[in-house]
Amino acid sequence: MDLKNIFEKRRSVNFFDTKENINETLLEKIYNIARLVPSSFNLQPWKMLLVKNQEDKRKLRKAAFNQEKIEDASVVIVLLADMEGYKNTDKLLNDMIAKGYIKQEEKEKHSKMPETLYGNPFAGRGFALRNVGLFAMGFMLAAKDLGVDTHPMDGFEPEKVKEAFKIPDRYEVAMLIAVGYHDKSKNLLQRLNRKEYEEVVVRGSF
């Protein structure tokens, strides 16, 4: 598929074929494409909690307003935003030095930049959620390119999800992504209209 075709073909699927499973080899292939999305300082502050077995899906469904697709999907990914992800700089900086982005003697100076920008709860949360949003879209487009369907979900109760899966405080539940194959017996409705260019563009200032 070319990129325009992927965008056109990607739909938020509500009905998944319960007989078709996504294995982790395929999930890893999708991830290895999606991880190429932009990320602040290349810190990649995301985790993917995979919800695969029916017992765990039932727990998640209870925390997500009883949405049926959670149990029908092959796997549901709980995307977590690491609000302390800006602290993990040593490996990143060594990679930057090895590839010529910075010099060895600049390491200490650069190590302080993420803390300066994101080292408070408000900024750290925004940093993590923005980066996870980029990753989420990359993941769904990569999935479609490999023939896999998805549905991004923000209909859930974050604290209930965190409690059900013992998620540490440093993570915020950013999104759920149901992953599987569309149940072809259920037709997709025509895509709803999207805003035109002139409806969203502001030139210069308001």
Side-chain angles (χ1 to χ4, degrees):
M1 293 183 184
D2 60 30
L3 185 59
K4 180 175 182 290
N5 197 25
I6 295 169
F7 269 85
E8 290 173 344
K9 295 295 185 184
R10 189 218 60 80
R11 299 292 303 276
S12 296
V13 169
N14 277 309
F15 304 102
F16 290 93
D17 188 339
T18 58
K19 298 182 181 66
E20 295 282 350
N21 289 317
I22 305 291
N23 60 47
E24 282 206 37
T25 300
L26 182 51
L27 282 177
E28 187 173 0
K29 285 181 181 178
I30 296 169
Y31 168 78
N32 283 333
I33 300 170
R35 67 179 180 166
L36 300 176
V37 300
S39 174
S40 304
F41 288 93
N42 199 34
L43 288 165
Q44 305 161 68
W46 47 69
K47 291 280 188 183
M48 303 193 312
L49 172 64
L50 305 183
V51 179
K52 298 170 65 178
N53 67 58
Q54 289 306 117
E55 182 181 352
D56 284 341
K57 287 179 184 176
R58 281 191 287 272
K59 286 197 300 184
L60 184 58
R61 182 172 175 172
K62 287 178 182 178
F65 305 108
N66 199 37
Q67 295 183 70
E68 187 175 349
K69 59 180 164 281
I70 287 178
E71 286 198 69
D72 289 347
S74 176
V75 58
V76 181
I77 297 171
V78 181
L79 269 185
L80 303 175
D82 184 358
M83 294 180 287
E84 297 180 17
Y86 61 87
K87 296 180 179 180
N88 305 318
T89 61
D90 199 57
K91 184 177 179 181
L92 162 67
L93 291 169
N94 289 338
D95 191 35
M96 291 177 74
I97 292 166
K99 292 174 179 172
Y101 286 84
I102 62 172
K103 297 177 181 178
Q104 179 67 47
E105 56 267 28
E106 297 174 318
K107 181 177 179 179
E108 184 177 355
K109 178 183 73 174
H110 284 274
S111 70
K112 297 175 182 176
M113 289 183 183
E115 178 79 31
T116 301
L117 285 171
Y118 309 126
N120 66 72
F122 178 80
R125 180 176 184 271
F127 147 77
L129 289 172
R130 284 190 294 272
N131 280 262
V132 170
L134 290 169
F135 174 77
M137 195 68 250
F139 186 93
M140 289 184 286
L141 292 172
K144 192 60 196 176
D145 190 41
L146 294 175
V148 175
D149 294 304
T150 56
H151 191 122
M153 304 168 64
D154 62 3
F156 58 87
E157 297 178 85
E159 292 308 314
K160 288 186 178 181
V161 176
K162 292 183 75 169
E163 181 181 356
F165 296 96
K166 299 180 173 62
I167 297 169
D169 289 339
R170 68 182 287 171
Y171 298 104
E172 177 151 345
V173 183
M175 187 185 304
L176 312 180
I177 301 180
V179 183
Y181 295 103
H182 174 223
D183 180 354
K184 295 296 197 308
S185 70
K186 310 283 179 62
N187 290 330
L188 287 172
L189 298 176
Q190 184 178 0
R191 186 190 292 275
L192 294 172
N193 291 335
R194 300 300 173 97
K195 291 181 178 180
E196 298 294 339
Y197 182 73
E198 289 297 335
E199 293 181 82
V200 301
V201 167
V202 179
R203 294 177 175 85
S205 66
F206 281 91

